[in-house]
Amino acid sequence: MAAVTAVALAGCGGLDASGPSASGGSLAEAGNLEGVDYIVGGKNFDEQLVLCEITVAALESVGGNVTPRCNLGGTDVARQALLSGDINIYWDYTGTAWASFFQETERIPDDNELYRLVAERDLQENQLVWLDKADFNNTYAFAVNGDRAREENLVTLSDMAAYIREGKPGTVCVETEYNSRDDGLRGLQQAYDFQVPADRLQVLATGAIYQATQNGDCTFGLVFTTDGRIPGLGLTVLEDNERYHVTYNAAPIVREETYTQNEAIRQVMAPISTALDYETMLRLNGEVSSEGRDAREVARTWLTEEGFTG
């Protein structure tokens, strides 16, 4: 366990110089995973479909025996599938682990420290190994129609709070979960010192908020920062200047029994995590959500363009 812990927590650092870099180099240079069975899962939204399909293609390219099980369902379904062994690898988020899996309320502003804490705890308590995290942060945010943001000079969440305190017209739209959880809207209002009047708050399905914000039905709409509909609809994301929202860096999580069969999986997946920065993830998500492309096609095209696969 100690040896695995030391390796597992290496995800905060860079890739070993002997492996492929994010700017090019076949994944086959990093390791051969022949003989290992990988059941790759994923949640049921666009970003997770892309991450799942990237993982499927990457592991196949280095000889892994891969069974895809993308689009399993929500967070609870995917997590339970990993814990039970129905799948043995999928991507999840540091903030999800910290706040939802481990029920922690302390705010950890440093993303590397948060990664270290959740990786260490998941290994010790659940025998799950977190591979290297990606740099993109798929956290909660509020967005405004781009034209409206410029007209009202809305740049930060403090600007949003001031707008609401002044009683200016408009509606705040959130999803059900964000409206009910302590680290959602209630905590946001405390952190930024404002209160949304009941008649100016709408609770909508997550997917409906983006279009409703673009067409003005929602003045401020809750979004996820890497959702491809943000640039597709010309939305402006407001800066969380008080750093209220938890960091949600994504990382592949592997069952320890699978990881120890061939630990080169870390070197195989590391350059992928390095390459998946914010702009890249936003673009890939947009190709699925805004352009209607198939997630499998998007994932495999990107891997080839990056030189990771042939």
Side-chain angles (χ1 to χ4, degrees):
M1 176 72 78
V4 174
T5 301
V7 175
L9 298 183
C12 296
L15 180 64
D16 185 277
S18 61
S21 69
S23 59
S26 170
L27 297 177
E29 298 173 15
N32 185 323
L33 301 181
E34 289 182 6
V36 184
D37 295 326
Y38 297 101
I39 308 172
V40 183
K43 304 183 197 182
N44 58 352
F45 56 91
D46 290 342
E47 179 168 288
Q48 281 277 314
L49 296 177
V50 172
L51 292 172
C52 183
E53 293 290 358
I54 284 174
T55 306
V56 168
L59 297 179
E60 286 178 345
S61 76
V62 292
N65 302 320
V66 181
T67 301
R69 293 197 60 194
C70 304
N71 201 16
L72 284 171
T75 296
D76 291 343
V77 173
R79 174 71 172 185
Q80 187 55 46
L82 186 67
L83 290 171
S84 67
D86 289 342
I87 61 175
N88 55 25
I89 179 172
Y90 89 115
W91 291 69
D92 217 320
Y93 304 88
T94 54
T96 301
W98 186 246
S100 298
F101 302 156
F102 302 136
Q103 298 291 304
E104 296 287 353
T105 58
E106 180 185 358
R107 300 206 172 274
I108 310 295
D110 184 275
D111 60 347
N112 288 330
E113 176 66 7
L114 180 60
Y115 168 88
R116 185 190 68 78
L117 289 170
V118 299
E120 185 177 66
R121 185 163 174 178
D122 228 2
L123 181 61
Q124 292 176 349
E125 295 184 6
N126 301 303
Q127 293 73 58
L128 300 178
V129 178
W130 285 64
L131 305 183
D132 293 21
K133 69 177 176 64
D135 285 334
F136 72 86
N137 176 21
N138 185 13
T139 191
Y140 288 116
F142 279 85
V144 185
N145 174 288
D147 292 336
R148 183 73 172 271
R150 287 184 287 273
E151 291 168 3
E152 298 285 348
N153 195 28
L154 297 167
V155 178
T156 68
L157 287 181
S158 289
D159 295 333
M160 181 180 94
Y163 184 101
I164 294 169
R165 282 196 302 269
E166 292 167 12
K168 292 183 178 180
T171 301
V172 176
C173 297
V174 299
E175 58 162 13
T176 302
E177 182 175 345
Y178 191 84
N179 187 51
S180 62
R181 54 194 286 175
D182 291 336
D183 62 344
L185 183 60
R186 286 197 294 272
L188 181 78
Q189 292 178 131
Q190 292 175 358
Y192 283 93
D193 188 26
F194 73 101
Q195 185 69 41
V196 182
D199 62 351
R200 294 178 58 190
L201 177 66
Q202 286 193 44
V203 180
L204 303 176
T206 304
I209 294 176
Y210 295 82
Q211 186 62 55
T213 303
Q214 193 276 334
N215 63 28
D217 291 339
C218 302
T219 307
F220 303 100
L222 182 74
V223 298
F224 292 96
T225 50
T226 58
D227 195 294
R229 286 169 289 191
I230 292 171
L233 294 171
L235 303 180
T236 294
V237 175
L238 302 179
E239 177 192 349
D240 184 1
N241 53 299
E242 297 292 340
R243 299 194 69 176
Y244 167 74
H245 292 116
V246 176
T247 299
Y248 286 80
N249 289 126
I253 313 172
V254 190
R255 287 175 61 87
E256 185 182 12
E257 62 198 36
T258 303
Y259 178 78
T260 55
Q261 288 182 58
N262 191 334
E263 295 181 9
I265 188 174
R266 179 177 294 279
Q267 283 68 47
V268 169
M269 294 300 298
I272 292 173
S273 292
T274 300
L276 288 174
D277 58 18
Y278 174 76
E279 294 298 334
T280 298
M281 202 70 243
L282 194 66
R283 176 173 63 83
L284 296 179
N285 289 341
E287 290 178 14
V288 177
S289 61
S290 295
E291 300 175 22
R293 294 182 61 196
D294 179 71
R296 184 176 188 273
E297 175 192 353
V298 169
R300 291 174 183 261
T301 298
W302 178 75
L303 286 168
T304 300
E305 290 174 348
E306 291 293 309
F308 292 142
T309 59

